[in-house]
Amino acid sequence: MAFRVLIVANGFVQGAPDSFPPDVQKLFEQPHEVRVLVPTRTGRLAWLTSDTGPATREASALVSDILGDMQRKGIEHPPSGHVGDENQLLAIEDALTQFSADAIVVVGHVPGQDNWHERRVIERAREQLGLPVYAVPITADGEVL
């Protein structure tokens, strides 16, 4: 049976998965199945006014970019992906109802470049979900730190 990995992508990662930290790379060395979740990343004003249209379009484009990149790199099992809620923990919980993951990889921006919805999502996911949660910190340019 394939190891199932849910990738929560707050941005595009240059050189993924080879640029991932070693502990995350190991997840992809065994037979695996991947689901990509791109949360809607709204600003505070858009969130307050429920104006999620632009953020949803950006998230949808990011899903397409990531899946296209994975397919070009010859990922063995075709990945699937979708856009999720702006509340990232809720988006992860929703994704887990459809995709029973063995591990979660959260690609998030470093402090100062992060969206307010990204903050503390890794800690909260580790506390509440009972699954291994790995962090891949990236810059605004998609470089892994």
Side-chain angles (χ1 to χ4, degrees), residues 42-110:
T42 57
R44 290 185 193 269
L45 182 58
W47 175 75
L48 284 170
T49 60
S50 299
D51 182 17
T52 60
T56 301
R57 287 189 291 280
E58 286 177 23
S60 182
L62 182 55
V63 168
S64 296
D65 290 347
I66 292 169
L67 296 180
D69 186 59
M70 293 173 115
Q71 290 172 344
R72 281 188 298 280
K73 290 179 179 170
I75 302 292
E76 288 181 31
H77 303 284
S80 61
H82 69 279
V83 173
D85 194 88
E86 59 198 334
N87 176 328
Q88 294 201 12
L89 193 57
L90 178 59
I92 294 168
E93 290 171 343
D94 289 347
L96 291 173
T97 64
Q98 300 172 18
F99 181 79
S100 181
D102 298 302
I104 301 168
V105 174
V106 178
V107 176
H109 293 93
V110 295

Side-chain angles (χ1 to χ4, degrees), residues 8 12 17 19 41-42 61 68 85 94 112 118 120:
V8 181
F12 187 85
S19 62
R41 293 171 29 99
T42 57
D85 194 88
D94 289 347
E118 292 178 64
R120 296 203 61 246

